[in-house]
Amino acid sequence: MHSSNPIHNTPPLSPKKETVLLRKPDEETLNGEMSAEGTQVQLQELLSTIKPEVTGIGPYCADVHWTIPDLSNLSSEKGISESSLQFEVFLNGCSYDKVTDTNLALTNLRPGTEYKLYIVCFCNGIRAYQTAKQSFSTKPTVPDPPQPPRLVDRKKQSLLLKWNAPKENGAKILHYSLEMKGGHLNTWTEIYRNKNKEFLITKLRPQTSYRFRLLANNEVGNSEYSPEIIATTVGLAPTQPNPPCLEETTVHSLKLSWQQRSSDESFSLEMDDACNEYGFMPVFSGSETSFTCHNLRRNSDYRFRNINGKSPYSEIACYRTLPDIPQPPSVPMMKGKHLSDRLCLTWSPPRDHGGIPVSNYLLQIDKGSGFETIYYGPVTECEVTSLSAGSTYRFRCLAESVGGKSKWSAEALLTTKPVVPGPCKPPRLLAKPKAHTLQLKWGYPEYEGGASVTEFQMDMITPDTERRQVYCGRDLECTVASLLPGRAYMFLLRASNRIGAGPWSEPYEVVSGAGPPDTPKPPLLACKGPHVVVVSWDEPINNGASIEQYVVNMAELKRFLPSTLEWFQRDSLIVVQVSCPNTESSESSSTCGDMESELTYVTAYTGSMVCASNVAGAGPFSSSASVTTPAAPPASVAHITSSPEATEATLYWTEPACHGDPISHYNIEVGERTVSTPGPVLEFTVDQLLPETMYKLRIQAVNSVGPSPFSGVHKLTTQPLPPPPPRIELVKASFNSLRLKWGEGRNPELLKYCLQMECYNPHTKISDGTNHSFKVGKLEENSTYRLRICASNEAGLGPFSDPLEFTTTKAPPPPIKAPRISEGDDKSYCVEWCGVRCPGEDHIIYRLQVLQSGKDQDYSLVHVGSESSYTLKDLKPQTGYYVRVCGVRMCGDKEVVAGAYSSPTLFNTPKVEEVETPVGPTCTAKKQSLEWHLLTDHQKALAILALFSLLAFVAAYVLSPSPQA
C-alpha cells in the first residue's frame, strides 16, 4: 500500500528548486565504472531505462505503471530475478511509496496541479540510477464549499455580509452566488452574483430574521452551498425583562437564569455587593440565558438585575450564598488531675466557624477496636470514665454548624495514670536440679498496672529460714548458685514497674540435687622400684550419693640436677591416669607404673590429682603428694640416619631418655667391631670402611647405672671411590687464549670435570661440565698460567691433578688501515700509513708490498723499515698498482712477530705524452694497436660498453617506423 500521507504535504516542485537524487553518469564515467564494477554497473544502467506511464488522470488521483526490462543476461550471474526488484516512486522530488508491483495508484492529489514523477529501482541491495522524469497534470474541479458569510453590520432595513474565498481547485473563481430566504421570500432566492466578497442587503423588514447561504463558481461548475446563517435586522426597543432567577447556590457561587423572548438577542447581568460602594457592576454580557457568579463571600447577600439589549433594567433580585463548613477544632487536651480510671478533656472552638456559629461538637475515643462516639453537644469539655489504668487512648473531635460538619481534628494520644503490677505466678524449674545450682523461670504478671514491667525480684528462703535476695533484673529466668546439695529451698517472686513493686507470689519449694564427693585427703605414696609407685588414700564425704570410683593422676613435677643439687621445675605433664573403683572399703590404694617407660628415674611425682566421683559427678582433686623414683639405664636409641661416603660414614641419632642419670657416651657396633664415642655426642663418623660395601650398625647409650639395650639394626652402603683426574693437553695457544683438552673424547660414565686456574683465590673454577675441551680466554700475552683438573661422579669429587703450566704467545701488531697514495712532482708516488704501537719496549717495523695489476701474481716486497711512509719511483706509465703494508714486532729476545697486512690500495699511473711526428698509415695502425694494449682493464670495459651503446642506438633508429607509415 502507498503512503497515507496526503500529497498536500509535498507541494508542486518548482523548476529552480527541483532536487535530483541521482543523475545518470555520462558515457566516459559509465565506461570506467563498467570496467571496475562489471555486472553491478550494467544492472544499474539497465534498470534506469524503465519508462513510467501515467493514465487515468483525474482531479485527485492517477494511475502509473511501468515495464521491467529483460534481465535474462544477468540472472545467471548474480541470481537476479523480477521478484527481487523493489521500486521507489518519487513525486515532485519526494518519496511517495515503495512497491514490488509494476503499477501504483496515486491518490490525494491536488486538482489542476503539475507533477513530475520518476522511479528508482533496488535489486539485492543495489540502487539503480533514477529513470527519466514523466510530467503530468491533474484535471481542475469545482471549488471547495465556502465558509458561511459573516454578519458585519445590521440596521433596521439592511444587513452587511462578508466572506472569504475558498480553494479554487485548479480553476479561477468566476463569481459568487448569495441566496436569501425569509421575510417575504419563502424560497431560496439569489440576491447577488459577482466576484466581490461582501454585499449589503437592503429593503429588509425591521426586527426580522433572514437565512443566507453562499456558493462559488469557476469554469468547471458550481461548488456546494456553505452552511446557513441567520441574521436579524434591528427592531423597536424591548420591554422591561423579568428579574433573574436563582437556580443553584453554593458557598462561593450563585447560578442565575432568565427568560429569552422572541425579540431578545443579547443579555447583560449586573451585580451589587453591599460590602463595596461601587453599586451595580456588569458581570455578564452575551446571548446565553444563564450565568454563574464565582468567588463570592460565604453567607453574604448580593443584588442582581439584567437588561436585554436596549430594554430598561429589570427589578432587583437579592440572593444569599451558603455558609461554609467550619474548620476542625483544636486537639483535645487533658484538663485537671491525672487519674488512673478517668480523663477530663477540653478543646478550643475552630478558628474559622464558616460564617455561622458552631452548634455542636462530636467527641470520639479509640480503645483499640476503632473510634466510637462518647459525647455530642455544644460544650467544649467532657469527662471520660470507665478507663483502664496506664492505658493509652486516641481522641478526636469535630465541629458541626448549619454549613456542615468540619474535618476531624488531629488525634490526641492520652494515657491514664498507671498502678503497681499484680501478683506473679510462682517460678518454676527450667532444668533438672543440680547439687549447687537451680535454674528457674517465670512469666509476666497477668496485670502490669498500665506500665511496662521494669524488673523482677526473687527472694530465697534457705533451710535454716534465712531469707535473701537472689535475683533482680528484667530477664525471665535465672540460675541460683552456691547451694548445698540435697537441701529444700523456697522462692518468692514479684514484679515492679515505674510506679512501684507489686505483691509477692505464692512460695515455690524445690530440693537441690545430689553433689559430688568432698575433696579427699592427700594420698600416701610409696616407691617400690624405678617403675612402680603405690598410692593410697582415705574415703571422703560422699554428699548424699555413694562413691562409685576414684581417679588418680600422676604428673611429673621436678627433675633433680646432681651438678647443682637443685630441683628443676618442668611443665606439668599427665603421665598416667588410673581409675580405681572401690565402694566398700574406707581405705583405697592403687599401684601405678610398669617396667617399660611409664616412670622415669630421679624424678619427683605427685598424686595431687586424686578425686572421688558418684552419680552427681567428680569431686575436687586432693592436694599434692610427691615421691622420687630411682635412676635406671637409658632408653634404647631410635631414629638413626647416616650419610655414607666411600671409606667412611657419618651417623646421626636422637638423644634417648636418660632415665634419671646423664648419658656418658654411646657404643657403636659396626660388623664385628665396636666403637665408643668420646662423649654424649649425637653424631659420629666411622672410618676404615670399604667402598661399595653394605654394613649393619647398632647403637646403645651408656650412663653410670649401665648400658641401654641396643637399637634396631641400621643398614648402609658405602659409596664407590671418585674417579682419578684426567691429563690436560694444550691444543693451541694464542696471545690471549689457551685451547685445552683432556680425556679420550668419550664419556660413557657421564663424568663431570672441574677445571681450575691458579689465581688469587688461590684457585678459581673456570669450567664445570661433561665437555672434554675448553678455551680459556681473556688472558695476557706471553704469560704463564697454572691449571689443574678433577673428575666427579655419583661417588663424589675426585682428587685434583698436579698443576700444569701453560704459556701464551706474544701478541702481533694490530692491523693497519689501508695506505694512502699521493702523486709527487717527479712522477713518483708517496705511500703513507698510520703507525701502530705494541706493548712493552718492543719496536715496530713495517713491510710494504706492491703488486702490478694484470701482470704479477704475488706481491713483491719493496720496503722494510720503521718509517710510516715510502716513495715509489720508476713505475710504468698508464699502469695500475696495488700496495699494502703490515707491521712487524721486533721483540727483545730477537723474536719476530708479523701482523696481518692491511687492505690493498689501487692507484693508476698516468699516460706518457708523446711528440707528434708525421707517420704513415702503417705506423698509425701500429700506434693504435699499441695504444689499445696500453689501456687498463677498467678502461677497456668502458670502451666496449660505449661501443655497444652506440650500436644499439643505431639499430633502434633504423628499425623504428617512419612517420608516413
Side-chain angles (χ1 to χ4, degrees):
M1 297 180 63
H2 63 78
S3 174
S4 60
N5 295 330
I7 196 62
H8 299 81
N9 295 335
T10 57
L13 189 65
S14 173
K16 295 183 180 181
K17 299 181 180 179
E18 181 175 347
T19 302
V20 179
L21 298 181
L22 186 63
R23 294 187 299 175
K24 185 175 178 182
D26 54 13
E27 184 177 357
E28 294 182 359
T29 305
L30 183 61
N31 292 336
E33 293 179 355
M34 285 292 291
S35 61
E37 299 180 4
T39 307
Q40 178 178 345
V41 177
Q42 185 179 359
L43 176 63
Q44 292 176 339
E45 182 182 12
L46 184 63
L47 293 177
S48 64
T49 59
I50 295 176
K51 295 181 178 180
E53 298 181 2
V54 183
T55 60
I57 301 174
Y60 300 100
C61 62
D63 295 330
V64 58
H65 60 87
W66 57 89
T67 302
I68 301 175
D70 187 9
L71 304 176
S72 58
N73 295 334
L74 303 176
S75 301
S76 60
E77 299 182 9
K78 289 286 184 176
I80 300 172
S81 61
E82 294 183 0
S83 60
S84 62
L85 297 178
Q86 187 178 14
F87 305 93
E88 184 174 7
V89 179
F90 287 84
L91 200 61
N92 285 354
C94 299
S95 176
Y96 182 83
D97 198 1
K98 290 184 179 181
V99 296
T100 56
D101 297 334
T102 58
N103 54 74
L104 178 64
L106 305 177
T107 59
N108 297 327
L109 303 180
R110 292 182 179 181
T113 304
E114 181 182 3
Y115 291 93
K116 293 184 179 181
L117 180 144
Y118 62 89
I119 299 173
V120 176
C121 183
F122 296 87
C123 180
N124 295 334
I126 301 174
R127 178 187 175 100
Y129 309 115
Q130 68 180 34
T131 62
K133 293 183 179 180
Q134 180 71 25
S135 299
F136 69 96
S137 298
T138 55
K139 295 180 179 180
T141 185
V142 296
D144 287 352
Q147 296 294 326
R150 303 185 310 276
L151 178 62
V152 178
D153 186 23
R154 66 174 183 163
K155 296 181 179 179
K156 290 183 179 180
Q157 296 180 346
S158 63
L159 295 172
L160 178 61
L161 301 180
K162 287 186 178 182
W163 56 87
N164 296 327
K167 292 184 179 179
E168 298 178 348
N169 290 338
K172 292 185 178 181
I173 295 177
L174 301 178
H175 65 269
Y176 297 97
S177 176
L178 180 65
E179 296 182 358
M180 182 181 71
K181 180 180 179 182
H184 62 282
L185 299 176
N186 296 327
T187 60
W188 290 103
T189 303
E190 184 178 22
I191 59 174
Y192 173 76
R193 179 191 290 265
N194 205 334
K195 290 185 178 181
N196 296 331
K197 289 179 284 186
E198 64 178 22
F199 181 66
L200 178 64
I201 305 102
T202 59
K203 300 180 181 180
L204 301 178
R205 295 178 180 179
Q207 200 174 354
T208 305
S209 297
Y210 296 91
R211 295 176 181 270
F212 298 94
R213 66 181 183 182
L214 182 70
L215 66 80
N217 176 270
N218 62 7
E219 62 183 9
V220 179
N222 295 330
S223 68
E224 295 181 0
Y225 283 100
S226 68
E228 298 177 4
I229 65 166
I230 299 175
T232 304
T233 57
V234 177
L236 299 176
T239 61
Q240 181 182 15
N242 296 326
C245 302
L246 179 65
E247 287 192 358
E248 182 181 356
T249 178
T250 63
V251 177
H252 298 287
S253 65
L254 292 172
K255 184 176 181 180
L256 305 176
S257 64
W258 48 87
Q259 295 180 353
Q260 182 178 14
R261 297 172 297 187
S262 59
S263 61
D264 296 337
E265 294 183 358
S266 62
F267 306 93
S268 177
L269 179 66
E270 295 181 355
M271 182 182 71
D272 178 24
D273 188 358
C275 293
N276 55 46
E277 300 178 355
Y278 299 114
F280 282 95
M281 300 294 294
V283 293
F284 169 76
S285 179
S287 60
E288 288 81 3
T289 59
S290 64
F291 178 71
T292 301
C293 297
H294 296 280
N295 299 324
L296 305 180
R297 294 188 308 276
R298 61 192 179 186
N299 197 27
S300 300
D301 292 329
Y302 293 90
R303 298 192 306 165
F304 297 92
R305 68 181 182 182
N306 64 349
I307 182 173
N308 300 343
K310 298 182 179 180
S311 69
Y313 286 102
S314 67
E315 295 181 358
I316 297 174
C318 184
Y319 300 108
R320 188 182 185 88
T321 56
L322 297 177
D324 197 1
I325 60 174
Q327 291 185 355
S330 64
V331 180
M333 297 180 294
M334 188 171 60
K335 178 181 179 181
K337 188 177 180 180
H338 193 200
L339 302 177
S340 61
D341 60 343
R342 64 186 63 195
L343 291 173
C344 185
L345 303 180
T346 182
W347 58 90
S348 300
R351 296 181 178 178
D352 184 6
H353 51 68
I356 190 168
V358 176
S359 58
N360 291 296
Y361 294 96
L362 183 66
L363 179 66
Q364 290 187 345
I365 184 174
D366 181 12
K367 298 181 180 181
S369 59
F371 283 96
E372 57 184 8
T373 303
I374 58 175
Y375 172 75
Y376 181 77
V379 185
T380 59
E381 67 177 47
C382 174
E383 184 178 10
V384 185
T385 60
S386 302
L387 302 179
S388 300
S391 300
T392 301
Y393 301 93
R394 294 193 300 165
F395 297 92
R396 67 180 182 180
C397 65
L398 61 80
E400 183 179 8
S401 68
V402 178
K405 293 182 179 181
S406 69
K407 295 182 180 180
W408 290 103
S409 66
E411 296 180 0
L413 295 176
L414 301 177
T415 305
T416 57
K417 184 178 179 180
V419 295
V420 296
C424 298
K425 291 184 178 181
R428 59 189 183 276
L429 281 174
L430 180 61
K432 183 179 179 181
K434 296 183 179 181
H436 301 285
T437 60
L438 289 175
Q439 289 184 330
L440 302 176
K441 66 177 181 179
W442 56 90
Y444 285 93
E446 295 181 357
Y447 179 66
E448 297 183 0
S452 301
V453 175
T454 56
E455 67 178 8
F456 294 94
Q457 296 177 4
M458 181 181 289
D459 285 1
M460 181 183 68
I461 302 176
T462 61
D464 54 357
T465 67
E466 180 185 357
R467 182 169 178 171
R468 59 187 176 90
Q469 185 177 352
V470 294
Y471 176 75
C472 182
R474 300 180 60 120
D475 296 335
L476 297 178
E477 61 181 49
C478 74
T479 300
V480 183
S482 302
L483 303 179
L484 297 176
R487 305 303 197 275
Y489 295 90
M490 297 179 67
F491 296 92
L492 298 95
L493 179 69
R494 69 177 179 181
S496 301
N497 58 11
R498 60 187 177 87
I499 304 300
W504 291 99
S505 67
E506 295 293 331
Y508 174 71
E509 185 176 356
V510 64
V511 179
S512 60
D518 286 349
T519 305
K521 294 181 179 181
L524 300 177
L525 305 178
C527 185
K528 291 188 176 181
H531 302 283
V532 179
V533 173
V534 178
V535 184
S536 60
W537 58 90
D538 295 334
E539 182 179 3
I541 300 174
N542 57 14
N543 281 335
S546 59
I547 297 175
E548 295 181 352
Q549 72 173 8
Y550 295 94
V551 177
V552 181
N553 288 344
M554 297 292 291
E556 184 178 353
L557 181 63
K558 296 181 180 180
R559 171 168 295 193
F560 183 72
L561 300 179
S563 59
T564 60
L565 299 178
E566 294 180 356
W567 291 96
F568 176 68
Q569 181 70 39
R570 296 188 63 186
D571 294 337
S572 178
L573 177 65
I574 300 299
V575 177
V576 63
Q577 181 174 345
V578 182
S579 297
C580 304
N582 192 341
T583 59
E584 297 179 357
S585 174
S586 60
E587 280 196 13
S588 302
S589 63
S590 175
T591 302
C592 301
D594 58 64
M595 296 304 295
E596 294 299 329
S597 61
E598 283 292 339
L599 304 178
T600 58
Y601 305 91
V602 194
T603 304
Y605 287 85
T606 177
S608 61
M609 308 305 278
V610 177
C611 70
S613 61
N614 55 13
V615 293
F621 285 95
S622 65
S623 57
S624 63
S626 61
V627 67
T628 302
T629 57
S636 60
V637 178
H639 306 293
I640 302 175
T641 58
S642 61
S643 177
E645 295 184 2
T647 58
E648 60 183 21
T650 302
L651 304 178
Y652 308 91
W653 61 90
T654 57
E655 181 181 5
C658 63
H659 286 174
D661 189 69
I663 297 174
S664 60
H665 65 278
Y666 295 90
N667 294 329
I668 302 175
E669 185 182 77
V670 183
E672 297 181 356
R673 67 190 179 103
T674 301
V675 181
S676 297
T677 62
V681 296
L682 297 180
E683 65 176 84
F684 185 74
T685 301
V686 182
D687 53 3
Q688 299 180 4
L689 301 181
L690 298 177
E692 297 183 289
T693 304
M694 186 182 70
Y695 289 91
K696 296 181 180 180
L697 301 94
R698 296 190 303 173
I699 303 176
Q700 69 175 178
V702 181
N703 61 6
S704 60
V705 180
S708 70
F710 273 102
S711 66
V713 176
H714 176 74
K715 297 180 181 180
L716 63 86
T717 302
T718 56
Q719 299 288 341
L721 290 174
R727 179 177 178 79
I728 303 176
E729 297 180 4
L730 179 63
V731 178
K732 181 181 179 182
S734 64
F735 67 93
N736 60 352
S737 64
L738 294 173
R739 172 70 71 176
L740 306 175
K741 73 172 185 176
W742 53 84
E744 298 179 358
R746 293 180 300 170
N747 192 6
E749 299 178 357
L750 298 178
L751 300 180
K752 291 185 178 181
Y753 300 98
C754 178
L755 179 64
Q756 294 184 352
M757 182 173 66
E758 187 178 13
C759 198
Y760 303 104
N761 285 341
H763 288 86
T764 302
K765 183 191 296 185
I766 59 175
S767 175
D768 189 7
T770 58
N771 296 332
H772 288 266
S773 62
F774 183 76
K775 181 180 179 180
V776 185
K778 299 182 180 180
L779 304 180
E780 297 181 358
E781 66 166 357
N782 196 26
S783 300
T784 301
Y785 297 90
R786 292 168 57 86
L787 296 96
R788 66 178 185 178
I789 193 171
C790 70
S792 63
N793 56 10
E794 297 178 355
L797 190 66
F800 279 94
S801 64
D802 296 334
L804 298 179
E805 295 183 353
F806 299 97
T807 304
T808 56
T809 61
K810 293 184 178 181
I816 301 175
K817 294 183 180 180
R820 301 182 301 273
I821 309 298
S822 59
E823 185 176 358
D825 297 336
D826 52 353
K827 298 183 180 180
S828 61
Y829 295 88
C830 180
V831 182
E832 296 178 344
W833 58 88
C834 295
V836 295
R837 298 180 181 180
C838 64
E841 299 180 354
D842 299 342
H843 63 278
I844 299 293
I845 63 173
Y846 303 96
R847 295 178 181 176
L848 179 64
Q849 292 184 347
V850 178
L851 174 65
Q852 183 178 353
S853 176
K855 179 178 180 182
D856 298 335
Q857 298 298 327
D858 295 329
Y859 282 91
S860 58
L861 183 63
V862 296
H863 171 71
V864 175
S866 58
E867 299 83 3
S868 59
S869 62
Y870 181 72
T871 301
L872 297 177
K873 298 180 179 180
D874 301 331
L875 299 180
K876 295 182 178 181
Q878 202 173 356
T879 304
Y881 290 93
Y882 291 94
V883 293
R884 65 180 183 178
V885 65
C886 74
V888 179
R889 179 180 179 181
M890 307 301 295
C891 302
D893 55 357
K894 299 183 179 180
E895 184 179 358
V896 178
V897 180
Y901 277 95
S902 66
S903 300
T905 300
L906 173 65
F907 69 95
N908 296 318
T909 56
K911 180 179 179 182
V912 179
E913 297 181 359
E914 297 182 1
V915 180
E916 294 182 2
T917 55
V919 293
T922 304
C923 295
T924 303
K926 184 176 181 180
K927 182 178 181 181
Q928 291 178 354
S929 177
L930 292 175
E931 290 179 354
W932 175 260
H933 287 291
L934 294 177
L935 294 177
T936 61
D937 295 339
H938 183 68
Q939 294 172 345
K940 293 178 180 179
L942 292 177
I944 294 173
L945 180 60
L947 179 60
F948 274 103
S949 300
L950 180 61
L951 293 176
F953 177 76
V954 173
Y957 179 78
V958 173
L959 297 178
S960 62
S962 62
Q964 295 179 356

